[in-house]
Amino acid sequence: TVSFGEPNEELQRAFDTVYEMQMTAFRLLSEPGHTADEIDAAARELCRARGYSARVDTIGLPSPPPDSRDDELEKNGRFYHGLGHSIGLEVHEYPFMQYTTQEPLVPNMVLTPEPSLIKPGAFACRIEDNILITEQGAEWLEQYPRHLIIIE
């Protein structure tokens, strides 16, 4: 993620939260036996714990049950979509890391968690990585910095 100029406190806090959501997804993908919905739920709960709404805004897709915290947290920014998806012959493939997918995630799957936070008119922040699940855990497929890059 890139910031043109020094990020203000609001953007830095959003980036730190998205980064933490991404690292949570990676940690869970490294542990055998988790399902796609569990990983989405963990990222979404962390999002709310850091003060952001995690209400899903999907057109035509099932959404998780409402969470009363989201109304108040919406003012800080929101994580609008499911956590991510698989990559195979197509860019967006099943299983999707979202509320309705109770698919176990197993070795040789490639998934792309893509947590984000958006506050219209203020910021948009997303981190997206391709991760291979292996017998030993999980492996980043990209080798680039994961910290916030500041361009002056």
Side-chain angles (χ1 to χ4, degrees):
T1 301
V2 175
S3 174
F4 293 98
E6 196 66 36
N8 63 28
E9 185 178 319
E10 183 178 45
L11 176 58
Q12 184 65 56
R13 186 171 157 270
F15 174 81
D16 292 345
T17 300
V18 169
Y19 178 81
E20 197 174 352
M21 291 164 66
Q22 185 71 327
M23 296 310 292
T24 296
F26 182 79
R27 180 180 52 79
L28 292 173
L29 288 168
S30 297
E31 300 169 0
H34 288 287
T35 58
D37 62 321
E38 290 173 338
I39 297 172
D40 177 78
R44 207 163 291 290
E45 188 53 40
L46 190 146
C47 177
R48 288 183 178 112
R50 297 296 177 267
Y52 297 97
S53 171
R55 179 182 292 124
V56 177
D57 185 15
T58 56
I59 298 170
L61 295 173
S63 295
D67 187 302
S68 60
R69 297 172 290 177
D70 286 326
D71 291 336
E72 175 63 24
L73 298 175
E74 185 96 20
K75 68 182 183 298
N76 299 323
R78 181 168 149 200
F79 179 33
Y80 282 81
H81 53 80
L83 179 62
H85 53 86
S86 292
I87 297 175
L89 296 176
E90 299 290 330
V91 174
H92 298 95
E93 285 195 358
Y94 185 87
F96 296 97
M97 286 182 279
Q98 64 183 20
Y99 164 69
T100 57
T101 309
Q102 297 173 348
E103 181 81 23
L105 303 175
V106 297
N108 299 318
M109 285 183 167
V110 176
L111 293 120
T112 177
E114 48 191 49
S116 68
L117 285 171
I118 299 168
K119 182 177 178 182
F123 64 81
C125 180
R126 176 182 282 199
I127 299 174
E128 184 170 350
D129 290 299
N130 296 317
I131 298 171
L132 171 65
I133 299 177
T134 70
E135 295 289 343
Q136 293 73 39
E139 176 183 322
W140 302 104
L141 294 180
E142 296 92 5
Q143 302 302 315
Y144 56 78
R146 289 188 170 73
H147 63 275
L148 183 61
I149 298 167
I150 299 169
I151 298 176
E152 296 298 332

